[in-house]
Amino acid sequence: MAPFKTLAALALCVSTAAGFAPVSPAAKVVSATELSSSAYDDIQKEWESEWPQFAKWGWGPSVQAEKWNGRHAMFGWVFICATAYAKGHGLIPDAASTLDLKEWGTLATISGKYTITNERAIVLIANAHFFAVSLLATICPLPFSDPLLLDPVNDNYEKTIARNNEPFGYLPEFKTGLTEEAEILNGRMAMLGLVTLIFATAIEQKPMLDIVNEWIGGNYY
């Protein structure tokens, strides 16, 4: 019984003394946004020091580049869904027929072995056309749109550069409507979706349109 009383007395003394122990300062809690902003600043400064000729025009790790990457990804999804709809509703003429080698020559083959179908040729031509339109929109934008390449002599150059120095972080604030936050979130989801689609078609060895059609329950065709 004596050892038990001794242990109880020691525990009481320790607990009492703990109340007079100095309190260590509370550690500062760093949010994910602050952490990502700090990492972003370091990467951006490193990029500007190594590639100043590109950083001057807004290329590299910047809010401007993320916006345009997201826009192209969203446009890609619109094109993919439109192509799947056209395929499912018979809007592509003679989709299953192959191209005539006498008319198209080597353009009708893949790696000189297989002849492509009329459907694939139309999709390739449409992709090339929309890519050209998108490229021109980034280099030669309309007056009401923002350019991909920043012009140092433009009136809004300093404003855009200042915006690039304020990243959105891992998870931007949720704001609906025509806002920068909504555009960034939609663009990120579109880019992530395209990466997932590429991995899916590589693993399952199926065309992208077939995989997208499966994802929506076969509603396209």
Side-chain angles (χ1 to χ4, degrees), residues 150-168:
L150 302 181
D151 188 358
V153 300
N154 191 284
D155 296 336
N156 295 326
Y157 180 76
E158 296 296 335
K159 180 180 178 181
T160 306
I161 291 296
R163 184 67 190 88
N164 286 339
N165 294 327
E166 298 178 5
F168 287 94

Side-chain angles (χ1 to χ4, degrees), residues 78-188:
V78 172
F79 185 84
I80 290 173
C81 294
T83 305
Y85 180 87
K87 178 179 180 179
H89 292 76
L91 300 179
I92 301 178
D94 301 326
S97 61
T98 57
L99 297 181
D100 190 352
L101 288 174
K102 295 181 179 180
E103 295 181 0
W104 293 92
T106 56
L107 292 175
T109 61
I110 301 176
S111 302
K113 297 181 180 180
Y114 307 103
T115 305
I116 64 177
T117 61
N118 194 40
E119 175 188 278
R120 186 162 188 176
I122 292 175
V123 171
L124 287 174
I125 293 174
N127 268 287
H129 173 75
F130 281 115
F131 176 75
V133 172
S134 178
L135 186 62
L136 291 176
T138 59
I139 298 176
C140 306
L142 297 173
F144 56 82
S145 61
D146 55 336
L148 172 62
L149 299 178
L150 302 181
D151 188 358
V153 300
N154 191 284
D155 296 336
N156 295 326
Y157 180 76
E158 296 296 335
K159 180 180 178 181
T160 306
I161 291 296
R163 184 67 190 88
N164 286 339
N165 294 327
E166 298 178 5
F168 287 94
Y170 291 119
L171 187 62
E173 184 179 355
F174 185 75
K175 293 183 179 180
T176 57
L178 299 177
T179 62
E180 286 187 318
E181 290 79 6
E183 182 179 13
I184 290 294
L185 284 173
N186 290 330
R188 289 179 180 180

Side-chain angles (χ1 to χ4, degrees), residues 8-22:
L10 288 174
L12 180 61
C13 292
V14 171
S15 60
T16 305
F20 298 94

